Amino acid sequence: MPLSTRESIIALAENHIQQNGYNAFSYYDIAVQLGIKNAAVHYHFPKKKDLLKGVLDKSEQHFQNMVELSKHNDINYMDKLNRFLKIYDDNLNRQNRVCLMGALATDLFTLPDHLRPALNQLVEAMKNWLTQILEEARNAGEFKFDGVASDRAALICSSMAGALQLARVLGNKEYEVIKSQLIKDLIK
Amino acid sequence: MPLSTRESIIALAENHIQQNGYNAFSYYDIAVQLGIKNAAVHYHFPKKKDLLKGVLDKSEQHFQNMVELSKHNDINYMDKLNRFLKIYDDNLNRQNRVCLMGALATDLFTLPDHLRPALNQLVEAMKNWLTQILEEARNAGEFKFDGVASDRAALICSSMAGALQLARVLGNKEYEVIKSQLIKDLIK
DNA sequence: TTACTTACTTACTAATAAGTAAGTATATTT
DNA sequence: AAATATACTTACTTATTAGTAAGTAAGTAA
């Protein structure tokens, strides 16, 4: 089914944020892409922060769903990990988008304070998803790593976020070598 | 000795970029901080891209010096590594700045094309510095890791960049757990 | 002492930004 | 059929931005 105007605005805003950051797109940019007027975007999201909240909420919902899905034991752990890593692969393939955390972290102090909990929850949800995969995979003897799973999850999240950024600057090969080292470190 | 106006402008611009990104500061912000007028900043750096070039050149010079310095064998390899990691520590301690690569990677596509080589060179210089340390430390038997040193350097660069960002969103503890895992992985 | 350079200030322009108030067409409810 | 809600458009305001042209005061060189 086609997206509603509201959903389209969120999708375009998310894309702009991950392409150029929160401060480098305007309501006009989105209006043009949808063939509507500036004020129509304000109708759906009165302030820019409302639009960001929309992006954040949609994204957190998505991660929460993935946490639920990853509780089922119908697929093996490497496939679950790859499902997580696919998010970064998709960003790389969509014209080298950086991840939402990476983009918004830089802009964080220019954002209204009350949006920080929303971003915090989003990143927690993402990290919890990966933590759960790592924990269970280690218990099942499929992955090996030292320390607590949430610390390893933090390392992988930050590495992948950085990998998308390094790929922009030095080329996509950097992304591949970083990703493959992270995987190797889990299965050796 | 005190900084010249030109040097002060570069220092402030660098700080703004690492605090909020390239698109979230204006010439006016810098002018106010220096107690001069808008146009005085334009006198030293006619276009904003000229100012960014100034920041990039200064930073690359700094990294090139570090590569030279790290060739001397007067200190041990863990100290050399810590000298590299200190850059990230300093950013964390200066009000949670992100690193220059991390900040500019997000803004990259909003920048004039001809500045990309300058950013590329900067990040190459930084990565080469770390690669050299890792290579020599492994040859000397002080560090242990699989694969080529430049790949491991890419992993560490991206992880540390991401760690500064994750620290902003989830808290500074994330930075410490990521950094300590990277070090542990080199000496075990 | 005259010419020239450096490092600015004053005073502007043009473009772009977020945001708003009021009006309109279409569909839905009462 | 009348009232109301939805999803916009038209037309605007205010603020901020990069950038410029012209002027000036202080130093340097010929």
Side-chain angles (χ1 to χ4, degrees):
Chain A
M1 52 190 163
L3 296 179
S4 67
T5 301
R6 193 193 145 86
E7 288 167 329
S8 297
I9 292 171
I10 288 177
L12 287 170
E14 187 197 69
N15 202 45
H16 273 114
I17 290 168
Q18 293 187 232
Q19 210 74 24
N20 301 322
Y22 178 75
N23 295 304
F25 80 96
S26 70
Y27 272 41
Y28 178 75
D29 294 326
I30 287 180
V32 167
Q33 284 181 282
L34 288 177
I36 58 178
K37 300 296 163 184
N38 209 332
V41 185
H42 279 284
Y43 168 75
H44 291 283
F45 301 95
K47 308 286 167 75
K48 202 177 179 186
K49 64 185 181 193
D50 300 318
L51 175 50
L52 179 57
K53 186 68 163 50
V55 171
L56 256 22
D57 286 348
K58 185 206 126 195
S59 213
E60 202 221 324
Q61 195 58 54
H62 180 246
F63 280 113
Q64 294 285 15
N65 289 345
M66 297 307 267
V67 175
E68 284 308 308
L69 275 172
S70 78
K71 282 179 181 162
H72 299 298
N73 289 327
D74 51 348
I75 60 168
N76 67 44
Y77 293 107
M78 187 52 82
D79 285 349
K80 283 186 179 179
L81 178 65
N82 279 325
R83 204 180 276 178
F84 174 83
L85 294 176
K86 186 174 183 299
I87 290 183
Y88 296 92
D89 289 354
D90 289 346
N91 283 328
L92 188 82
N93 293 328
R94 284 182 69 174
Q95 302 140 85
N96 282 267
R97 295 187 355 172
V98 297
C99 73
L100 201 52
M101 186 283 287
L104 290 177
T106 300
D107 300 330
L108 193 66
F109 302 143
T110 70
L111 269 33
D113 280 350
H114 67 272
L115 284 177
R116 292 183 67 156
L119 181 59
N120 190 289
Q121 272 180 47
L122 163 68
V123 178
E124 287 281 8
M126 186 188 68
K127 194 184 138 191
N128 287 342
W129 174 23
L130 179 57
T131 299
Q132 198 156 80
I133 295 169
L134 293 176
E135 184 92 70
E136 291 171 22
R138 180 163 64 175
N139 291 341
E142 251 194 79
F143 291 171
K144 282 200 184 91
F145 57 88
D146 296 324
V148 292
S150 65
D151 288 355
R152 176 60 53 152
L155 176 64
I156 293 174
C157 287
S158 66
S159 302
M160 294 305 293
L164 286 173
Q165 294 162 15
L166 208 58
R168 281 189 167 197
V169 177
L170 297 186
N172 287 359
K173 195 170 169 294
E174 302 293 323
Y175 178 86
E176 301 302 336
V177 306
I178 290 163
K179 183 183 161 189
S180 70
Q181 282 175 96
L182 289 171
I183 294 175
K184 261 184 215 159
D185 284 354
L186 287 174
I187 57 180
K188 75 173 174 193
Chain B
M1 51 192 164
L3 296 179
S4 67
T5 301
R6 194 193 144 86
E7 288 168 328
S8 297
I9 292 170
I10 288 178
L12 287 170
E14 186 197 70
N15 202 45
H16 272 113
I17 290 168
Q18 293 187 233
Q19 209 76 264
N20 302 321
Y22 178 75
N23 294 305
F25 80 95
S26 70
Y27 272 40
Y28 179 75
D29 294 326
I30 287 180
V32 167
Q33 284 181 283
L34 287 177
I36 58 178
K37 300 295 161 182
N38 210 332
V41 185
H42 279 284
Y43 167 75
H44 290 284
F45 301 96
K47 308 285 168 73
K48 201 178 179 185
K49 65 186 179 190
D50 300 318
L51 175 51
L52 179 56
K53 186 69 162 50
V55 170
L56 255 21
D57 286 348
K58 185 205 125 193
S59 215
E60 203 221 324
Q61 195 58 53
H62 179 244
F63 280 115
Q64 293 287 15
N65 289 344
M66 297 307 266
V67 175
E68 284 307 308
L69 275 172
S70 78
K71 283 180 179 160
H72 299 298
N73 288 327
D74 50 348
I75 59 168
N76 68 45
Y77 294 106
M78 187 52 81
D79 285 348
K80 283 185 179 179
L81 177 66
N82 279 326
R83 204 180 276 178
F84 174 85
L85 295 176
K86 186 175 183 296
I87 290 181
Y88 296 92
D89 288 355
D90 289 345
N91 282 328
L92 188 83
N93 293 327
R94 283 182 69 176
Q95 301 142 87
N96 281 267
R97 297 190 348 176
V98 297
C99 73
L100 201 52
M101 186 284 287
L104 290 177
T106 301
D107 300 330
L108 192 67
F109 302 144
T110 71
L111 270 30
D113 281 350
H114 66 271
L115 284 176
R116 291 182 67 156
L119 181 59
N120 191 288
Q121 272 180 46
L122 164 68
V123 178
E124 286 283 8
M126 188 188 67
K127 194 184 138 191
N128 287 341
W129 174 23
L130 179 57
T131 300
Q132 199 157 82
I133 295 168
L134 294 177
E135 185 91 71
E136 291 171 23
R138 180 164 64 175
N139 290 341
E142 251 194 80
F143 292 170
K144 281 199 185 93
F145 57 88
D146 295 327
V148 291
S150 64
D151 288 356
R152 175 61 50 154
L155 175 64
I156 294 174
C157 286
S158 67
S159 302
M160 294 305 293
L164 286 173
Q165 294 162 16
L166 208 58
R168 280 189 168 197
V169 177
L170 297 186
N172 287 359
K173 193 170 171 293
E174 302 294 322
Y175 178 86
E176 301 301 337
V177 307
I178 290 163
K179 183 183 161 189
S180 70
Q181 280 175 99
L182 289 171
I183 294 175
K184 260 184 216 160
D185 283 354
L186 287 174
I187 56 179
K188 76 172 172 192

